[in-house]
Amino acid sequence: MPITIKEVREIAQLARIAIDDKDIPSYEDQLNKILTLVDEMKAAETEGIIPLAHPLEESQKLRDDQVSEKNQRESYQSIAPITESGLYLVPQVIE
Amino acid sequence: MNLPNSVTEIIHGLENGTFSSRELTKAYLNRIDNLDPKINSFITVCHDQALQDAENADRRRATGTANKLTGVPYGNKDIFCTKGIRTTCGSKMLDTFISPYDATIVERLSSQGMVMLGKTNMDEFAMGSSNETSFYGRVNNPWNIDCVPGGSSGGSAAAVSAGFAPVATGSDTGGSIRQPAAFCGISGLKPTYGRVSRYGMIAFASSLDQAGPMGRSVEDLAHMLEPMAGYDPRDSTSSIVTTEDYSRDLEHTLEGKRIGLPKEYFATSLDYQIESVIEAAIKEFEQLGADVVEISIPTTPLSIPAYYVISSAECSSNLSRYDGVRYGHRCELPSNINDMYDRTRGEGFGEEVKRRLLTGTYVLSSGYYDAYYRKAQQIRRLIKNDFSKAFKHVDAVVSPTTPTTAFEAGKHLNSPVNMYLGDCFTVASNLAGLPALSIPVGFADGMPVGLQLVSSYFKESTLLTFGHMFQKATDWHLHFSQDNLKEAQ
């Protein structure tokens, strides 16, 4: 079933991307073409196949629980849009 | 000075004192300054830093503390974080981003004493096959500037091809090293997933992304892979399998080696000129002693759909970090936090990136997960199984790298699906995590044709041997687009 204009708006909201109204129809058209391509997967018989999330299937390596990074807050915050007293500033979240 | 044609030549020149790293670096920087305005392969050129690093390299050589690659210049794809030097990933989102740390491979190449000439252009966040999605403008193919260089490592490929750098780094999520290497007539290796650390390489699709070397010859790739490869405790997915001495093991007879030709790859409507170039290359391998057998990879038609589900899903998750809070672009005067997220991302990302983020968000959304993401992961296992079966019988699977040569700029810009279909031969090795090499094997209508070899896990040496022995017997890798540029001057 093709994606509708309404769904494109909902997906854009989920993805947190502002899209101009005038651009929505072109995204709708292209997403539908991409999904038509993707729907070719339906032809594959995958009953009982265990999904493969990662090519190597190695388990995560563990290390000793020791501090490995030094505190670089100042350096990291020097590239932030706005900081104050060591805090990242964002618009007010709680009224 | 006349620029050398290979890293091997540079190593000898530096060892024998024929030229210094400073002279060499200056010559490359001059060439970039004079000719790159036609190609646009660099986003940032590091004139001062490069000359300083070259002088340090010359000092190391004078005091007897040089390594093999000390003083060898390289281009670095702008996806690898460089401390103190802007890293943009081809995006407006990171236009002003200066990383506080170096990527592991940058650290390793600079500890060898290699000299970074600059940061090369790329498709935005590595999403693209034409280098047309870069915020910094498209890159032109040095063989024909009306054509694309391929992508996403299009800047690295064009720079090496045009003689702006002897070698360069690249990253490959679905063909982003091999496809531009093929389009620009150079060699490129995507190593096994986990062979090269991803630490400090800006993430696109984390279960597919892999860094690798790009250069004119396979021998040059081997030189560059040595310091790049190996376990890194800072990348939990990097492998502990021991590395090999890649340049030492290049010379090896192909007698008795087996090459598999997947019948599905050759059944597609392949351009007849490309087909005949590939057939001639396969005959060359036979003359070198290899046996050629037909094999089957039945899942071939499923690779592209599964790839675009998995890569889009992973990027929609990875790129959620660009929120305007800690670094990168932030919109002006947000009215509230959601407005800040929405407009920051709406303004900071280009069209192709947004398209993939929307696709990824959709396939992961409630109610669609099983039909898309889970299904794609099941297909991913089938693809891996197909290759595992093939490698019981053959040492390498061979195909064209791409179904066409470099196409004209703008051709697929309004039809992303057509662009995606061009990845049909490359994405399977990313899904399966296998190493894959592209080498130049001829021309069709004056544009380079690449041949791809895929081998089993951690068999980079096998691929490099195949490529090197082919290049010893042929001269396709010695056709340089830089000669075209000279004529155009």
Side-chain angles (χ1 to χ4, degrees), chain B residues 153-230:
Chain B
S153 313
S156 287
V160 169
S161 176
F164 300 152
V167 276
T169 59
S171 67
D172 190 315
T173 303
S176 281
I177 286 175
R178 293 159 285 156
Q179 185 254 22
F183 278 13
C184 291
I186 65 163
S187 307
L189 175 72
K190 180 201 94 73
T192 308
Y193 182 87
R195 178 70 301 171
V196 175
S197 169
R198 293 185 297 110
Y199 180 80
M201 177 169 91
I202 294 174
F204 162 13
S206 301
S207 79
L208 305 164
D209 296 342
Q210 181 61 200
M214 305 175 79
R216 283 177 166 171
S217 68
V218 169
E219 192 175 15
D220 288 357
L221 300 183
H223 287 309
M224 182 119 171
L225 180 61
E226 281 162 11
M228 286 176 81

Side-chain angles (χ1 to χ4, degrees), chain A residues 72-91, chain B residues 324-327 330:
Chain A
Q72 300 188 65
R73 185 165 72 177
E74 276 176 29
S75 142
Y76 290 171
Q77 292 203 333
S78 68
I79 53 172
I82 310 174
T83 59
E84 197 182 291
S85 316
L87 303 171
Y88 292 95
L89 292 196
V90 294
Chain B
V325 176
R326 289 149 303 155
Y327 53 87
R330 178 190 286 198

Side-chain angles (χ1 to χ4, degrees), chain A residues 33-35 37-39 41, chain B residues 126-129 151 173-176 179 204-205 208 302-316 352 355-361 363 372-373 376 416-424 426-427 431:
Chain A
K33 285 182 177 143
I34 293 168
L35 291 175
L37 171 78
V38 160
D39 277 342
M41 292 194 310
Chain B
M127 297 174 199
S129 311
T173 303
S176 281
Q179 185 254 22
F204 162 13
L208 305 164
L302 299 169
S303 299
I304 292 264
Y307 171 78
Y308 276 94
V309 169
I310 290 169
S311 63
S312 302
E314 290 188 15
C315 83
S316 74
E352 177 61 21
R355 208 152 35 224
R356 299 208 197 193
L357 294 176
L358 295 178
T359 307
T361 304
V363 299
Y372 291 113
Y373 191 61
V417 167
N418 286 348
M419 185 89 86
Y420 298 173
L421 293 172
D423 301 337
C424 57
T426 49
V427 295
L431 289 166

Side-chain angles (χ1 to χ4, degrees), chain B residues 178 227 257 331 360 386 415 476 483:
Chain B
R178 293 159 285 156
K257 294 278 182 197
C331 69
D386 273 1
S415 49
W476 297 114
D483 303 332

